[in-house]
Amino acid sequence: MRFLLTDEQREFGRSLDALLTAADTPAVLRAWAAGDHGPGRALWGRLADAGVFALAVPEAYGGVGPLPVEAAVACVELGRHAVPGPVAETLAAGALLAGAGGPVAEEWLPGIASGAAVVSLTLEGYGPYAPDADAADAVFTVTGDELRLAPGPGQLSASADPARRLFRPEPGGAPVAKGPAIRAAARAAGDTAAFATAALALGCGEELLRATVAYVKQRTQFGAPVGSFQAVKHRLADTLLGLEFARPLLYGAAVELASEVSGPGAGAGAAEGSSGAGAAVAAAKVAAGEAGYAAARTALQLHGAIGYTEELDLAWWLRRARPLRDVWGTPSACRARVLAG
């Protein structure tokens, strides 16, 4: 398969990069971590105006999707700029609610597409935590064939990333949909969350590498930039290779997801929860997650002690890399799925 982004897709990525560069995301991250969601919600609205969240919502509910390739382009840029909030979870909710259909889809999907609704969720098999549930307008939980709207964000738990706060949703809540379609929709949502997280991890790793390369060019030792040392060059090259090998897996998974949506028997494929693309998504998730985490380790080592400081903006990316690697499918779980697939 030969796959290249179109000019329109590349321009979409460049426009998001320009928007986020002007947004001062480190300041937004600090506010979000402190519990002030105002700047983050304002940024969320600008991203929605650019069409980011409509990519996961079908046209029947006010979206333009599902468009997995464009979603990958967007999430790489959001990961590169460390945009706070339940990005992967909100995109996954688009798949979950579209599969559920009925009144709950009609109520929430237009808001997700427009950016008016920020959504978090938990799914069986992926852990009990809903990221950023305190900032979400809704927290959905799936148990068996029941979809519920949690009555509250629940208890806060410790997180390695202070700008990605983890909550265990309050139990209960009346079912808003139930039946076999919910199980299939949850599988599709899990694939969407893993796919979006892989793209976020790739973008995070790219920014860590970019910042590290810039730093070693100006940091000197023994009268020479440390970036001129052979060992440093090799470490950076290995990091770049990991990211570049993950990229085609990510876009390959996007093509697989898109083919299930638009190809022959697309409706049946969607009902089965993207089962055919599951292994491709898992491969992309493990590759991008490991590459992003390796980029964080390289960045921390080559920045030296400054890498540990709160004042360094890059610290927010360093803290984000490992959670992105492990959430919505740990490396071992993804490898097992690839082998099974």
Side-chain angles (χ1 to χ4, degrees), residues 246-276:
R247 191 186 315 280
L249 289 174
L250 174 68
Y251 286 108
V255 172
E256 290 286 346
L257 289 169
S259 68
E260 288 201 344
V261 173
S262 59
E272 287 301 317
S274 301
S275 57

Side-chain angles (χ1 to χ4, degrees), residues 277-297:
V281 170
K285 176 64 170 59
V286 68
E290 294 281 31
Y293 181 50
R297 297 182 65 179

Side-chain angles (χ1 to χ4, degrees), residues 29 125 151 181 195 229:
L29 281 162
F195 172 71
F229 300 161

Side-chain angles (χ1 to χ4, degrees), residues 28-223:
V28 176
L29 281 162
R30 287 184 167 87
W32 191 275
D36 177 8
H37 302 129
R41 289 296 296 255
L43 178 57
W44 193 278
R46 294 197 292 274
L47 291 169
D49 291 341
V52 170
F53 302 107
L55 296 172
V57 176
E59 292 183 15
Y61 298 99
V64 296
L67 294 175
V69 176
E70 286 77 4
V73 171
C75 286
V76 168
E77 293 302 327
L78 269 59
R80 195 196 313 276
H81 291 273
V83 171
V87 172
E89 292 73 24
T90 296
L91 294 174
L96 175 65
L97 299 179
V104 66
E106 295 171 359
E107 179 180 0
W108 288 100
L109 284 177
I112 290 174
S114 69
V118 176
V119 178
S120 192
L121 78 166
T122 65
L123 301 172
E124 280 187 311
Y126 290 100
Y129 298 113
D132 299 308
D134 60 331
D137 300 295
V139 179
F140 291 100
T141 65
V142 175
T143 304
D145 61 358
E146 289 189 342
L147 171 63
R148 296 175 181 266
L149 183 60
Q155 181 181 0
L156 176 65
S157 300
S159 172
D161 180 359
R164 185 178 171 83
R165 293 151 60 87
L166 301 178
F167 291 82
R168 189 186 293 265
E170 293 180 7
V176 293
K178 60 174 63 177
I182 300 302
R183 291 182 183 270
R187 290 194 293 271
D191 282 348
T192 301
F195 172 71
T197 302
L200 292 169
L202 179 61
C204 179
E206 288 179 347
E207 175 57 20
L208 285 162
L209 178 60
R210 184 208 64 78
T212 305
V213 169
Y215 181 71
V216 299
K217 286 180 179 180
Q218 56 184 297
R219 179 186 173 191
T220 60
Q221 195 172 44
F222 307 117

Side-chain angles (χ1 to χ4, degrees), residues 285-316:
K285 176 64 170 59
V286 68
E290 294 281 31
Y293 181 50
R297 297 182 65 179
T298 296
L300 185 58
Q301 180 181 19
L302 298 184
H303 275 80
I306 194 175
Y308 290 95
T309 63
E310 289 282 347
E311 291 77 15
L312 182 70
D313 287 343
L314 197 69
W316 296 95

